[in-house]
Amino acid sequence: MSNAVILAESAGFCYGVKRAVELAEKTGRETGGCWMLGDLIHNTHVVEELESLGVRKTADPASIGSGETVVIRSHGELKSTLDALEARGVRCVNATCPNVIRIQKLVAETGEEGRRAVIIGEPQHPEVVGVASWRQDALVFEGPESVASWLAEDPKRREIPITVVAQTTCIRELFETSCKIIKKECTNVKIFDTICNATHKRQSEAAEIAGRVDVMVVVGDRKSANTKHLAEICRGKCSRVLQVENADELPADFLDGCVSAGLTAGASTPAGIIKEVYATMSEEIKAAEGTEESFEELLNQSFKTLNTGEKVTGIVTAITPTEVQVDVGAKQAAYIRLSELSDDPNAKPEDIVKVGDEIETYIVRVNDVEGYAELSKKRLDAVKVWENIEQAVEDKTVMEGIVTEENKGGIVVSVKGVRVFVPASQSGQPRGADLSAMIKSKVQLRITEVNRARRRVVGSIRSVTDEARRAAQEEVWANIEEGKRYTGTVKSMTSYGVFVDIGGVDGMVHISELSWSRIKTPAEVCKVGDTLEVYVISFDAEKHKISLGVKDRSVDPWDVFMSKYGVGDVASVRIVKLMTFGAFAEVVPGVDGLIHISQIADRRIEKPEDVLSEGQIVDAKITAIDEEKKKISLSIRALLAPAADEYDDQEAPVEE
């Protein structure tokens, strides 16, 4: 093997760290000075640079005053700290890694779902401490041993509904082994693989390089968990591994006798430090073999060789009105014409890429004489889309697209620029439905057929919706219990009640359970598509029948009435039913009183409907209350006739 330093492509800033640093720099410039709570990222060099830009560091949230600005670090922060800052009027710029924010949301949602959050990661790490704060009863385990120990302490813990997540930089083997134990032992588990893809790629690449070199160097701050994990992974593959923070920490004799060396870096390591370590290692290897090659020659040898038709990855260095300049690690200057950037003629370059972005392109032409290379993003994008589409058929991947048109027999969905035909029978809509209503909507579908030569692609929305509905149904039936509450959607209505979808399963709300008030039809209180808060009255899992209720059973209408009215009070009542002997009127929802026919008017009448009609609102006086039988006597006449005659023809309460 020739003398070489193999630099991992994934070494250095990940997306989340890069985003955090850029946000802090931008905020520092815009505000003229702001705060960061602790180290924005785990790298002392970067933190010191930020402080020189006016982004001051404090460990005490209380020291930040109202109206000041604080940048929340990439690892996230305690929920209580964020709430306190917001309550004091501190402006928070959230530079928390999007992957960490997703984990925070998953943990927070366990409370709404009645589940227990389990986090696999380092208990004292800032990211894990912050994530755990989003649910007070969250559990944190370092690995399979602590998981197994917790389950063994109490057999009942196996029945607790559990949601499992991982620290973004967790070693995959630890996470997967822990999940294997949990899935085997527990009866109700949801597992979310939240290990950052960039972390997994960096760890896999580091292991691969470490397995084929004489010495491996890992660069990163000693407080960085992902750097520490990288070093651990490399030690499992290579006998000589050194973790350093910068080039100055490389011992003079560390590379003696080695033919090849590997170099990787944690997600918080700036590119400048990586380049310094790379240069030092390269010079040391050459010096150890007694060669006279200069650093400039060594650097030239490290340049990529560009060949037309190949893929190449580079970093955007500048955006001009006519082109995007890209550093691809070659001697040639590389650029992308705007016409080769995107298929969309109206797209602006700055909306597609930004300076500092990593971009994968296709080499259109290499001119070694003039020293430049022409690249194309749109050509590579087109090839990759078709590759992804073809792979999606084999993997049965769920893809997203926008419905662009309705045509004979179905609809057309644009998936990453590719037209996908979805037959009407696979649209997920009822037969005969107006498919044009789906235009411009975002849908999920599976690709079922691809003919690249004919550029024909067929997909199915129904397979995704059916699968999702089955999964939702299984979830409902696995966890349903009497008294459990759901937020449902009214799917259909009958004269005797409504059917409500509570997550893939329909339950029946009888008309008597829709309202405390007397209603003749469900349409009086709801309509198809309405959202209803319901609870389970009873269910039959074998027959797949569920009885639901809407009325709040925690409130007794009679207690409401008694707390509001007494004998002699006047109430505005609604006539709900006319009988031969009188009329029943609703005093409060769920409580009716009787207005005897003799108490309807100040004259004799033949029948109640001569004066009253159902639904009419009238004032009536409460003349009697039977608390034992929960019956009320009302009188309209008492408000019309002289007081002396008020109760002449008063009747006792009559049952309906």
Side-chain angles (χ1 to χ4, degrees):
M1 183 184 295
S2 60
N3 301 328
V5 175
I6 304 173
L7 174 61
E9 290 184 8
S10 59
F13 279 3
C14 65
Y15 167 75
V17 169
K18 180 181 176 184
R19 171 179 173 271
V21 173
E22 289 177 349
L23 268 175
E25 291 174 344
K26 179 183 177 184
T27 305
R29 288 193 299 269
E30 291 177 348
T31 59
C34 61
W35 296 94
M36 56 179 159
L37 272 180
D39 292 341
L40 183 80
I41 65 173
H42 278 163
N43 188 278
T44 304
H45 175 78
V46 173
V47 171
E48 289 174 352
E49 281 194 352
L50 288 173
E51 289 184 314
S52 70
L53 295 174
V55 187
R56 295 160 291 171
K57 182 173 74 171
T58 179
D60 181 14
S63 66
I64 305 173
S66 175
E68 293 189 286
T69 299
V70 61
V71 182
I72 304 302
R73 58 187 171 184
S74 61
H75 290 303
E77 191 51 79
L78 292 172
K79 184 178 185 303
S80 57
T81 299
L82 295 175
D83 291 341
L85 288 169
E86 183 179 355
R88 292 210 318 275
V90 176
R91 178 191 171 220
C92 294
V93 176
N94 197 350
T96 303
C97 171
N99 291 322
V100 176
I101 291 175
R102 174 177 176 248
I103 303 172
Q104 291 174 346
K105 289 180 178 178
L106 289 171
V107 170
E109 287 169 359
T110 59
E112 301 169 9
E113 299 172 354
R115 309 180 69 83
R116 190 83 178 268
V118 168
I119 306 164
I120 308 299
E122 299 178 45
Q124 304 306 316
H125 191 278
E127 175 191 319
V128 176
V129 174
V131 166
S133 73
W134 289 79
R135 182 69 181 154
Q136 290 186 345
D137 63 351
L139 299 167
V140 180
F141 299 117
E142 289 190 87
E145 294 81 6
S146 51
V147 169
S149 175
W150 180 75
L151 289 170
E153 287 175 4
D154 186 353
K156 291 183 179 179
R157 290 174 176 169
R158 293 170 170 80
E159 300 173 6
I160 300 173
I162 287 175
T163 295
V164 186
V165 297
Q167 182 180 346
T168 54
T169 55
C170 182
I171 295 177
R172 179 159 294 281
E173 184 181 356
L174 288 178
F175 178 66
E176 291 180 346
T177 307
S178 300
C179 290
K180 186 176 180 181
I181 294 172
I182 292 172
K183 285 193 287 187
K184 180 180 178 182
E185 298 291 334
C186 299
T187 59
N188 188 344
V189 182
K190 282 185 179 180
I191 295 176
F192 294 92
D193 185 349
T194 54
I195 297 176
C196 174
N197 288 334
T199 297
H200 179 55
K201 179 182 178 183
R202 184 181 289 106
Q203 291 176 351
S204 300
E205 190 179 15
E208 190 274 329
I209 293 174
R212 57 190 177 95
V213 296
D214 300 320
V215 63
M216 190 73 186
V217 175
V218 181
V219 188
D221 196 286
R222 288 184 175 80
K223 297 189 295 293
S224 168
N226 71 81
T227 302
K228 182 180 70 174
H229 292 162
L230 280 177
E232 292 172 357
I233 290 168
C234 290
R235 290 189 182 100
K237 299 289 184 178
C238 180
S239 59
R240 298 170 66 185
V241 177
L242 181 66
Q243 181 181 340
V244 299
E245 291 194 350
N246 52 54
D248 294 340
E249 294 185 2
L250 286 170
D253 60 348
F254 184 70
L255 300 176
D256 286 355
C258 85
V259 176
S260 63
L263 173 62
T264 188
S268 301
T269 308
I273 292 178
I274 298 172
K275 287 180 180 178
E276 287 179 6
V277 174
Y278 177 86
T280 301
M281 290 174 65
S282 299
E283 289 180 324
E284 286 292 332
I285 289 178
K286 291 300 180 183
E289 295 196 350
T291 62
E292 298 299 323
E293 288 179 286
S294 67
F295 174 61
E296 182 178 356
E297 292 170 333
L298 186 64
L299 203 56
N300 285 337
Q301 290 177 15
S302 71
F303 284 140
K304 295 177 183 176
T305 300
L306 303 184
N307 298 303
T308 300
E310 293 182 347
K311 297 177 185 177
V312 64
T313 300
I315 302 296
V316 176
T317 57
I319 301 173
T320 74
T322 59
E323 65 187 29
V324 173
Q325 297 171 11
V326 182
D327 179 2
V328 294
K331 294 180 181 180
Q332 298 89 343
Y335 69 92
I336 307 170
R337 297 180 189 273
L338 295 191
S339 59
E340 291 296 325
L341 190 61
S342 170
D343 273 324
D344 184 356
N346 299 316
K348 296 179 180 179
E350 55 269 24
D351 293 335
I352 300 173
V353 293
K354 291 180 173 56
V355 173
D357 281 357
E358 185 177 85
I359 184 171
E360 189 174 17
T361 63
Y362 175 86
I363 303 173
V364 178
R365 180 186 175 205
V366 179
N367 189 325
D368 288 324
V369 176
E370 297 185 18
Y372 69 84
E374 292 183 29
L375 311 175
S376 173
K377 180 178 184 294
K378 76 174 187 180
R379 297 189 197 186
L380 182 61
D381 288 346
V383 172
K384 288 174 68 176
V385 166
W386 277 100
E387 289 175 351
N388 291 341
I389 292 287
E390 289 174 331
Q391 189 64 40
V393 178
E394 183 178 340
D395 297 342
K396 297 182 178 179
T397 306
V398 175
M399 308 192 80
E400 278 194 352
I402 302 294
V403 180
T404 58
E405 62 183 274
E406 176 192 13
N407 63 15
K408 186 178 180 180
I411 56 176
V412 175
V413 180
S414 175
V415 178
K416 298 181 179 179
V418 174
R419 286 169 56 89
V420 180
F421 173 66
V422 178
S425 62
Q426 297 300 313
S427 68
Q429 300 297 312
R431 180 175 296 182
D434 179 13
L435 299 183
S436 65
M438 297 180 68
I439 294 176
K440 295 185 179 180
S441 64
K442 183 181 288 187
V443 296
Q444 292 188 319
L445 72 165
R446 280 196 175 88
I447 307 300
T448 56
E449 178 187 336
V450 176
N451 187 322
R452 192 167 179 178
R454 294 177 57 195
R455 301 185 71 81
R456 172 180 167 80
V457 185
V458 180
S460 170
I461 298 172
R462 179 181 172 184
S463 68
V464 178
T465 55
D466 284 355
E467 181 179 288
R469 188 171 182 83
R470 284 194 297 272
Q473 289 174 342
E474 291 175 2
E475 175 73 14
V476 170
W477 287 113
N479 298 290
I480 194 169
E481 57 186 27
E482 290 184 9
K484 188 167 185 176
R485 295 185 173 275
Y486 295 92
T487 298
T489 304
V490 178
K491 303 298 288 186
S492 61
M493 304 177 71
T494 68
S495 60
Y496 52 84
V498 298
F499 288 92
V500 178
D501 183 346
I502 57 173
V505 176
D506 289 350
M508 169 69 176
V509 182
H510 191 269
I511 188 171
S512 63
E513 290 295 331
L514 277 171
S515 173
W516 284 111
S517 299
R518 293 194 191 207
I519 57 174
K520 289 187 175 180
T521 66
E524 292 181 38
V525 293
C526 63
K527 61 181 182 299
V528 172
D530 279 358
T531 297
L532 286 183
E533 298 295 328
V534 298
Y535 65 93
V536 179
I537 295 175
S538 62
F539 65 93
D540 187 327
E542 291 185 4
K543 295 181 179 179
H544 279 202
K545 290 185 177 181
I546 304 173
S547 176
L548 302 172
V550 174
K551 295 192 300 191
D552 187 354
R553 295 291 178 181
S554 66
V555 178
D556 187 334
W558 182 260
D559 291 340
V560 173
F561 166 76
M562 291 297 294
S563 66
K564 189 174 183 180
Y565 295 107
V567 174
D569 288 344
V570 176
S572 181
V573 301
R574 180 172 63 92
I575 306 302
V576 294
K577 194 168 186 178
L578 298 175
M579 308 293 289
T580 57
F581 51 81
F584 284 97
E586 182 184 73
V587 185
V588 297
V591 177
D592 295 345
L594 174 67
I595 309 173
H596 191 268
I597 191 170
S598 65
Q599 296 300 312
I600 291 176
D602 57 359
R603 65 186 186 280
R604 185 174 296 279
I605 59 175
E606 294 296 326
K607 49 187 182 300
E609 50 264 42
D610 289 343
V611 177
L612 301 174
S613 59
E614 290 187 5
Q616 182 180 354
I617 305 297
V618 297
D619 286 340
K621 188 172 185 178
I622 300 172
T623 57
I625 299 174
D626 187 333
E627 292 189 44
E628 186 177 346
K629 295 182 179 180
K630 294 186 178 180
K631 301 211 172 288
I632 306 164
S633 293
L634 302 171
S635 173
I636 298 173
R637 176 184 170 188
L639 300 177
L640 304 173
D645 301 329
E646 195 170 316
Y647 302 112
D648 288 350
D649 298 316
Q650 178 67 43
E651 299 287 339
V654 179
E655 295 187 30
E656 183 182 345

